[in-house]
Amino acid sequence: FYHMDLYGSKDRFDIFPEELSGRADRSLGDMRKESALSSKKVQRPQEVGYDLEKEVAELAKMYGLDEDREKELEFLGGHLEKVESRRPPACTEKAGSQGSIYNSSSSSSVKDPSQSTKQQGLHDEASQGEKQSKARADDEAESNIWSRGGLSSGGMSDEWNSQAVSEEEEEEEEEAADVFCSTCKIPIRAFDKLFGEHKDHEVAQLPSAVESEKEEIHKNMCRLEEQIAQMENVASHLEEIFITVEENFGRQEQNFEVHYNDAVQVLAQKYEEQLEALGEEKRQKLEALYEQLVNCGKHLDTCKELTDETQELFLENDKAEFMKVKSFNLFFPPYNYRLEEFLKKEVDLKLSTLPDFEERVIDVSEVEQLMNSINAIPAPCAPVINPQTPNAATGTSLRVCWGLFSDDTVECYQLCYKTVSNERHSDEQAEHTLKVKETYCTITDLLPNTQYEFWVSALNASGISPPSERAVYVTAPSPPTIKNKKIQSCENGALVCWESRDINPVDSYTVELSKLTDEENDDIITESIVGIPNCEVLIHLQPTQKYHICVRAHNLGGSSERSEPVLIHTTGTCFYLNEDTAHPLLAILDDGFTISCDELENPECDLPVYDNSFTRCIAILGSLIPFPGKHYWEVEVEEDTEYRTGVAYENTPRHGHLGANNSSWCMRHIITPSRHKYEFLHSGMTPDIRITVPPQRIGILLDYENCRLSFFNADLAQHLYTFNSHFQHYVHPCFALETPGILRIHTGITTPPWTVL
């Protein structure tokens, strides 16, 4: 078979080969020949401009000249027509007789001026000599120019230099093409768009047109790649069908040969049986004829004996003796009596057997049955179902494969499957049956992260095979659901939580991060974290960035689709309020970051509480801040509300007040008849600090590395107090209300520069 991968990845994109590659390795003699050929083309003035421009381009590529040299050669080629037009007729004839004027060796085409003068004196016509001398001088000047590749102007005459400079100035005045005509599909000058034939055409900037054309070529290449992939798949499938046809033909041929040998063996056996029966019949006939022949001989002997005795009696003269012989004797009966008795015997003159043999016909019914059974092949053996290939399933489909390790002929396969259930009556699950021609099948419309049991049987005209052993396949999981309200982040990381939508457990999860630098990079995965066993992960991120985060679930069948992305900003610390810790009288509003309390008559009320809720202090904890470094948030308060705010350990007592123990640090606001009192409590102790301006927006800075907890008046950028304490564990933000009112928490704020102490 031919290899079907005819197009390698490198060959597919190498569609613009260098046409002139390999020319640089040619010998110097070949280059001189090409130079001579090019010089012959220049001799015709009407073709000088076109042929020279083409030849210069080829020479530039062949000798590796840079763009500047190429432009200069084009410049010289543009003026060659004018030079030829000014040349006298004798010069043209001389150029035709001497061959190429573009030979790289000027010594071969130019002679010494003194020698030329002497030779001119030998001619009879002075005028003709002058013309030839002038033509040789022109040839020498032009030959020197082309021998230097157009790079040196030392051999040019003053007239030539002046003309070249003037022509160069004229060309510089001409404006180069800088726009692209979309209608004519050619580059044009901007002047032509304003006043030329392209005035009414649609134009575009040349760089944008080039980029657009490259993008179009890239799209066409992608489409070509897709077509190539499709054709390769079709060719691969045709190869499989071709192999299957060959295998089926081999099995049919072998089956036909076996049946043919059986039929020949039966015919040979029938032949031997009939031949043996024919020989037995022959033996019986010959024995019967032989016995009849022996009896006939005995009868003839008796007749002959009686005949001889009768003749002897007739010759006897003695009558008495004759009668004596005829007389009866008991021991010797008379001759006449014996003759009469012999004649009384009936002689069988019929043949005991006929020479013809019985017509025998070979019974070929058994052979006919064998011949008819050539197409009546036996039922196939049981197929062997393959185990599931990892990462080959989706959330709603499975690809099942099997094989037949025998030479049986199969017309189709019968695939059966049902859902695997852990319940007692799992056998009552509905079975589904499919008939397929190939040894594989893709089943759709399945449930995500669900186990299915498969078995397969082979069928042909003779019947169905026994079922294969049963194999269990599992579909890929459903996309997880990220808990947006449970996401925590800071400037250097984020804690992402999610939940599985499947009943059955999954093997692991993968978190995919996309850094958003502009709108075009929304779907570019910049990082993936694999092998996550639980439904949460702590991710290290870069400060002041935006990320899209998605999660995939994995099992043996494959990976799920991406979850709905969530947007995370690493501009500051973000956390959420833990409702399980809230006092029953404390309410969390819809935004999730505002707490309120309407009544405080009986804080120790009989309302239902959680096991982790505060029972005495009307407080709530925020989520754990598990990131090292600095964390900043703000609390908006009302001037007439008494409150507490700070941080606490996870195990802070729920039946006590914040700041009254060694597991919490907080700022407390109390309204007295004379003033607003502020306390900074830890283990029930507070320093004596007076704050003259009541803060309405409190900034809290938690610094794990420097073991500090600082409070600020965010409106005035004023430092209030700092706890210097070594935090043995990560802490939770905490908030409490001691009078009816509300507190608003603001997260995700960049740490202000004035918080640096």
Side-chain angles (χ1 to χ4, degrees), residues 428-469:
E428 298 179 1
Q429 297 291 331
E431 294 184 2
H432 305 273
T433 303
L434 298 174
K435 287 190 176 181
V436 293
K437 294 288 187 181
E438 296 81 7
T439 57
Y440 59 88
C441 181
T442 301
I443 301 94
T444 57
D445 299 329
L446 303 178
L447 299 176
N449 199 28
T450 303
Q451 291 183 340
Y452 289 88
E453 192 175 37
F454 291 89
W455 63 97
V456 63
S457 301
L459 292 85
N460 60 15
S462 299
I464 185 172
S465 71
S468 65
E469 295 184 359

Side-chain angles (χ1 to χ4, degrees), residues 248-294:
N248 290 339
F249 170 77
R251 286 195 292 266
Q252 290 286 2
E253 183 181 21
Q254 184 179 4
N255 183 52
F256 180 78
E257 184 178 358
V258 170
H259 283 76
Y260 172 78
N261 292 334
D262 293 342
V264 171
Q265 185 176 359
V266 170
L267 285 174
Q269 183 178 357
K270 293 290 184 181
Y271 171 78
E272 293 293 336
E273 292 177 355
Q274 293 294 335
L275 186 62
E276 184 179 357
L278 186 64
E280 181 65 23
E281 184 179 2
K282 172 186 175 182
R283 184 184 64 78
Q284 293 177 359
K285 285 181 176 294
L286 291 178
E287 288 181 355
L289 290 173
Y290 179 76
E291 183 179 359
Q292 189 175 10
L293 182 60
V294 171

Side-chain angles (χ1 to χ4, degrees), residues 183-247:
T183 304
C184 301
K185 303 297 183 183
I186 58 173
I188 61 174
R189 300 177 302 168
F191 179 82
D192 295 336
K193 168 60 181 174
L194 297 176
F195 305 102
E197 59 181 353
H198 304 279
K199 181 177 181 181
D200 299 330
H201 294 176
E202 182 180 356
V203 298
Q205 293 296 327
L206 196 59
S208 61
V210 171
E211 292 298 328
S212 177
E213 191 68 20
K214 288 182 178 179
E215 184 178 356
E216 188 67 24
I217 292 175
H218 178 70
K219 292 180 180 179
N220 291 334
M221 287 300 300
C222 293
R223 293 176 57 189
L224 183 61
E225 281 288 317
E226 293 178 358
Q227 292 184 5
I228 290 174
Q230 293 177 359
M231 293 305 299
E232 287 179 350
N233 293 335
V234 172
S236 177
H237 182 65
L238 291 176
E239 276 191 357
E240 294 178 357
I241 298 300
F242 185 88
I243 295 173
T244 303
V245 170
E246 289 287 345
E247 292 177 351

Side-chain angles (χ1 to χ4, degrees), residues 497-515:
C497 302
W498 59 88
E499 61 183 0
S500 175
R501 294 165 50 187
D502 300 317
I503 300 176
N504 298 324
V506 300
D507 296 340
S508 64
Y509 296 93
T510 296
V511 175
E512 298 176 348
L513 286 74
S514 303
K515 182 187 294 185

